[in-house]
Amino acid sequence: MADCNHDCSSCASDCADRNSPQSLLEAVNSHSSVKKVIAVISGKGGVGKSSVTALLTNAVNKQGKNVAVLDADITGPSVPKAFGITERAEACDYGIIPAVSRDGIKIMSLNMLLPNETDPVVWRGPIIGGTVKQFWTDVYWGDIDYMFIDMPPGTGDVPLTVFQSIPVNGAVIVTSPQSLVSMIVEKSVNMARLMNIPVKGIVENMSYLTCPDCGKRINVFGESRIEDVAASYGIEAHASLPIDPSFAQKCDEGKVEDADPFPLDTIVKAIL
């Protein structure tokens, strides 16, 4: 057309010169291969996404798969501490070299790039999103069967950047037993579906506490509704994780790989 300004986003004409929508997906590091990507998400913070990410990673690693963790929670990275990673990241001709845990899990987190792990990250959203993309494009991951992304909470700028820039194959939603659980899950499910990402399972963390004296199950945050919530959204795989002081201690000591991931067995099967 003679008067075309070549801005198809503002034009209603169906002409031969119309540009097709461009994919925003970024290519993984050219010397790496990542077969499947699973995002661990939640509609709010403080529900234990990093803990669930670590347990899922351990479980899949024990199945003989090559596994990695991309810590996308830039302002609150906790994955390295849980795995006992203290060294700074280095680089080679192929890109940034991820840390490798005791059991062979590859890990990349902003904490590994900071002079001190307690330094605050006071960045605006676009810079944080760009850093997450660089963890995908600039890190020399090698040959990975399953990569788990520990997502920041909510449905804002960084989660959107991850879903648009990285080819995520599935999502695991983490929540807690409070009465507002349905709203939190619905936000996460709707975002995943909006981005055409299948929800592989839902984990209710801090679901109950087992009394160390009598063995009675105590519902600290209210009765579990995980089965009803999962059924209402058509999510077949679900799991409940207890409040376990010994697990918290393992994370604090950097020994999360010693934790038993069995409670997440149904979620792991859905992912594999």
Side-chain angles (χ1 to χ4, degrees), residues 34-39 145 166-171 196-200:
V34 179
K35 297 181 178 65
K36 299 291 182 181
V37 178
I38 305 296
D145 295 316
I166 300 175
V168 178
N169 301 102
N196 296 316
I197 296 171
V199 177
K200 295 296 184 180

Side-chain angles (χ1 to χ4, degrees), residues 50-188:
S50 298
S51 300
V52 172
T53 300
L55 286 174
L56 288 171
T57 305
N58 290 342
V60 175
N61 187 50
K62 293 181 187 300
Q63 298 293 320
K65 306 297 184 182
N66 294 327
V67 185
V69 181
L70 189 160
D71 189 355
D73 194 353
I74 300 298
T75 59
S78 56
V79 171
K81 182 175 178 59
F83 282 92
I85 304 296
T86 57
E87 65 265 26
R88 303 300 93 187
E90 297 182 357
C92 67
D93 292 341
Y94 295 160
I96 303 171
I97 304 172
V100 181
S101 74
R102 183 196 66 192
D103 291 347
I105 296 169
K106 293 184 177 180
I107 297 168
M108 188 63 214
S109 173
L110 188 68
N111 260 15
M112 296 160 53
L113 299 174
L114 298 175
N116 302 293
E117 64 177 15
T118 56
D119 289 348
V121 179
V122 188
W123 295 348
R124 295 191 182 276
I127 298 177
I128 295 175
T131 301
V132 172
K133 286 195 287 186
Q134 284 185 288
F135 283 174
W136 173 252
T137 60
D138 295 0
V139 173
Y140 174 42
W141 293 105
D143 187 15
I144 299 297
D145 295 316
Y146 289 88
M147 173 181 285
F148 290 87
I149 301 182
D150 183 16
M151 299 279 281
T155 55
D157 188 52
V158 178
L160 181 61
T161 296
V162 171
F163 287 146
Q164 290 183 327
S165 304
I166 300 175
V168 178
N169 301 102
V172 174
I173 297 173
V174 183
T175 186
S176 53
Q178 289 98 326
S179 58
L180 48 73
V181 62
S182 295
M183 180 188 69
I184 297 169
V185 172
E186 186 170 1
K187 286 178 180 292
S188 301

